[in-house]
Amino acid sequence: AEYTDRGVSSFDDDGFSLIGGIGSDENASNIPYVAWCWKAGGAAVSNSDGSITAQVSANQTAGFSIATYSGGSGTVGHGLGKKPSLIIEKKRGTTSDWLVTTDVIDGSMDYLRLNTTAAAASAVISAPTSTVFTPNIGASTVVAYCWAEIEGYSKIGSYAGNGNVDGTFVYCGFKPAWLLVKRTDLGSSSYNWWIVDSSRSPVNGSTLSLYANLINAEISIDGWDFLSNGFKARNSAPNRNSSSGTYIFMAFAESPFQTANAK
């Protein structure tokens, strides 16, 4: 369940601040850390687009919003102005899984658990719309992180592996800076969530990887190439590039075309 952590003292206009000597999870002495930050819309405002009133902070330009709400039966407004492709929900007051709900695997609503290796399962809920989504986590006090694709900045989808060290090329329309990958198909319940980024591994072919579902230290492995318009696996391992595997991914751009083209 959520708790108060004193290590982070504030979120700032240009980053975040830490308190020295406090917070071993994010500020222990002489320990390397990585942080991935998404900018929402500032202070949350009340949103009554759904049948459940939520407090929502939304950044429509970046396709990202944070919603907090209580309840489970009904719909919740997300504030994005377009349909989200992926939603992560977490109960705040109790031990629970991090549910990842999406329709990018096969067009229907499915869910995975960000904190486990479980394969995808069908979510018996309605698909999100440009204004609301249906909670997939049951009655509770919940936080939800919602992402909608933005051309030239973010890509959320799935790909099929090819079982070759020259892996399947996945088109994003930009060079990724950050990538999340998880095998989703039946029988893939032992495969972790990969997180790789160009800040820790600026050179292709030797990628430092972390697992979202584990507390393990990062590993160095020939895993991924970030290309000018997408990415590909450089390993035939079943957790990222099996010829019988289906994978979900979430990627964000190194230099977003949205800014470059002033769209």
Side-chain angles (χ1 to χ4, degrees):
E2 102 182 342
Y3 68 101
T4 299
D5 180 40
R6 296 185 299 139
V8 177
S9 61
S10 65
F11 291 155
D12 311 320
D13 289 342
D14 57 353
F16 57 92
S17 297
L18 305 174
I19 299 175
I22 296 177
S24 61
D25 286 338
E26 65 280 294
N27 198 23
S29 177
N30 296 318
I31 299 297
Y33 292 88
V34 61
W36 308 297
C37 308
W38 283 264
K39 183 180 184 296
V45 298
S46 181
N47 184 304
S48 298
D49 290 340
S51 59
I52 301 170
T53 299
Q55 296 297 309
V56 178
S57 175
N59 182 344
Q60 293 188 351
T61 302
F64 174 62
S65 71
I66 304 170
T68 58
Y69 55 92
S70 296
S73 178
T75 57
V76 175
H78 50 69
L80 293 175
K82 62 185 301 187
K83 183 182 79 68
S85 296
L86 185 144
I87 298 170
I88 299 177
E89 295 172 277
K90 176 71 175 75
K91 291 182 179 180
R92 298 168 59 190
T94 184
T95 300
S96 69
D97 292 323
W98 291 77
L99 290 189
V100 181
T101 306
T102 183
D103 63 356
V104 302
I105 299 172
D106 56 13
S108 65
M109 297 303 295
D110 299 298
Y111 73 93
L112 300 101
R113 295 176 172 89
L114 187 62
N115 55 297
T116 79
T117 61
S122 295
V124 189
I125 57 173
S126 299
T129 70
S130 60
T131 56
V132 301
F133 68 93
T134 301
N136 189 36
I137 202 166
S140 186
T141 301
V142 178
V143 60
Y145 306 100
C146 308
W147 283 272
E149 280 190 342
I150 301 297
E151 182 184 0
Y153 167 68
S154 59
K155 187 70 176 176
I156 302 167
S158 64
Y159 68 90
N162 65 6
N164 194 298
V165 292
D166 185 14
T168 301
F169 168 71
V170 182
Y171 177 79
C172 296
F174 53 78
K175 182 179 180 180
W178 186 91
L179 176 66
L180 173 73
V181 172
K182 171 70 171 77
R183 185 168 177 175
T184 65
D185 55 291
L186 184 65
S188 66
S189 60
S190 62
Y191 302 132
N192 297 309
W193 292 81
W194 290 79
I195 298 179
V196 294
D197 62 73
S198 61
S199 294
R200 291 178 298 138
S201 295
V203 178
N204 282 330
S206 180
T207 304
L208 294 173
S209 301
L210 286 162
Y211 298 134
N213 55 291
L214 298 176
I215 63 173
N216 297 32
E218 69 186 3
I219 61 172
S220 180
I221 191 169
D222 292 337
W224 310 92
D225 277 357
F226 288 169
L227 308 174
S228 62
N229 57 352
F231 66 91
K232 65 163 53 185
R234 285 298 190 184
N235 193 302
S236 59
N239 56 2
R240 54 196 181 279
N241 191 31
S242 169
S243 60
S244 62
T246 302
Y247 304 81
I248 188 175
F249 74 90
M250 191 175 185
F252 293 86
E254 180 84 37
S255 299
F257 293 157
Q258 289 284 44
T259 300
N261 295 339
K263 287 187 178 180

